[in-house]
Amino acid sequence: MTTELCTYTRNACDIARRTGVERIELCAAPLEGGTTPSAGLIRYARSLPGLRLSVMIRPRGGDFLYTDDEVALMAEEIRLAREYGADGVVFGLLTPDGEVDETRTAQLVREAEGMEVTLHRAFDMTRDPLRALEAAVRSGCRRVLTSGGRNTAQEGIETLRALAAQAAGRIEIMAGSGVGPSNARLLAATGVDALHFSARRERESGMRFRNPQVSMGGCAGVPEYTLTDADESVVRQILAELG
């Protein structure tokens, strides 16, 4: 069972190295569900021994319906990820009708030649996950990250089981979203190839002065003084459950 930690910080990358996680998915912007990380963070992650590195390729938050200009930007980010030494890239593109955009996905898979390609949870926004799986296979993806079309992998467990059976070794199925010590074994038993988790913890900022008149994103309710990171103890618990 391959393990993958979703990392947003240098500290989370260090946790992955210390605990023996096999691969990291490196992202920025946890409140957006993950976007392309900075060059500096990619280079730092690549410098850590014993970790496989997959880099998120997502130029913005929001939906997965991209313009030609955005796809061109994603291609450039893939080239930079290769230059920085990434083992893989992670992206997802959909059509307006909720299908995998096979043409553009295949285009970016070709751009990523030599690296593994993961189709991320854009997959869970498709109208039919079993049909979407075949599109991912045809597009040349190495694996799919999915919660079975539900908010968490445990809620989507029956679909995960069906996807693992349908994949039949042609493509890897990686279960993610809400994976923790309490359900890691249960999810592994569905036949998926990998588990993806963030072991997320929120910690309060050390700022004593906090200006209540300013929201940096311009949206009320954004937790400006809450920082997202990984919890090393939770990572270790998940790995212990998997044996």
Side-chain angles (χ1 to χ4, degrees):
M1 179 61 53
T2 301
T3 53
E4 179 177 280
L5 182 65
C6 181
T7 59
Y8 297 96
T9 66
R10 174 171 169 152
N11 181 60
C13 295
D14 291 338
I15 288 171
R17 179 186 58 81
R18 286 196 299 268
T19 58
V21 168
E22 295 167 63
R23 185 172 61 230
I24 59 175
E25 179 194 74
L26 193 65
C27 308
L31 294 180
E32 296 277 11
T35 58
T36 306
S38 71
L41 187 57
I42 297 172
R43 284 175 169 165
Y44 179 75
R46 181 69 291 166
S47 74
L48 298 175
L51 273 177
R52 293 188 65 76
L53 170 62
S54 288
V55 174
M56 174 65 74
I57 305 296
R58 189 179 176 209
R60 58 166 173 78
D63 64 27
F64 304 103
L65 180 63
Y66 296 113
T67 66
D68 290 342
D69 287 344
E70 288 173 327
V71 174
L73 179 58
M74 293 169 79
E76 177 60 22
E77 289 173 337
I78 288 169
R79 289 190 285 271
L80 289 173
R82 178 188 289 106
E83 179 182 326
Y84 296 152
D87 299 296
V89 288
V90 185
F91 54 78
L93 303 91
L94 303 184
T95 69
D97 294 320
E99 308 283 352
V100 172
D101 186 335
E102 291 189 51
T103 300
R104 286 170 158 178
T105 300
Q107 172 189 337
L108 293 183
V109 168
R110 288 191 295 271
E111 190 65 57
E113 185 177 2
M115 295 187 287
E116 299 177 354
V117 172
T118 301
L119 173 57
H120 61 43
R121 288 188 63 220
F123 181 89
D124 290 320
M125 305 302 282
T126 62
R127 63 172 64 239
D128 182 342
L130 300 184
R131 178 170 171 171
L133 184 65
E134 295 304 318
V137 171
R138 288 192 296 268
S139 299
C141 297
R142 171 70 174 268
R143 71 181 59 87
V144 168
L145 169 61
T146 175
S147 59
R150 301 294 293 275
N151 198 45
T152 68
Q154 186 158 339
E155 292 174 75
I157 194 166
E158 292 306 322
T159 300
L160 288 172
R161 190 173 285 114
L163 288 167
Q166 181 177 323
R170 296 175 300 150
I171 188 170
E172 296 175 17
I173 306 298
M174 179 163 58
S177 185
V179 176
S182 66
N183 60 17
R185 287 189 197 179
L186 182 67
L187 292 167
T190 62
V192 298
D193 302 282
L195 292 184
H196 168 101
F197 45 89
S198 60
R200 189 177 299 190
R201 71 179 175 116
E202 310 293 339
R203 60 184 176 86
E204 279 292 300
S205 164
M207 289 293 298
R208 289 188 294 273
F209 172 74
R210 302 185 180 193
N211 187 346
Q213 307 303 317
V214 176
S215 173
M216 295 302 293
C219 300
V222 175
E224 302 278 357
Y225 297 99
T226 300
L227 308 177
T228 299
D229 212 340
D231 187 323
E232 183 166 347
S233 66
V234 174
V235 174
R236 291 188 181 278
Q237 289 172 47
I238 293 171
L239 296 179
E241 287 296 325
L242 296 173

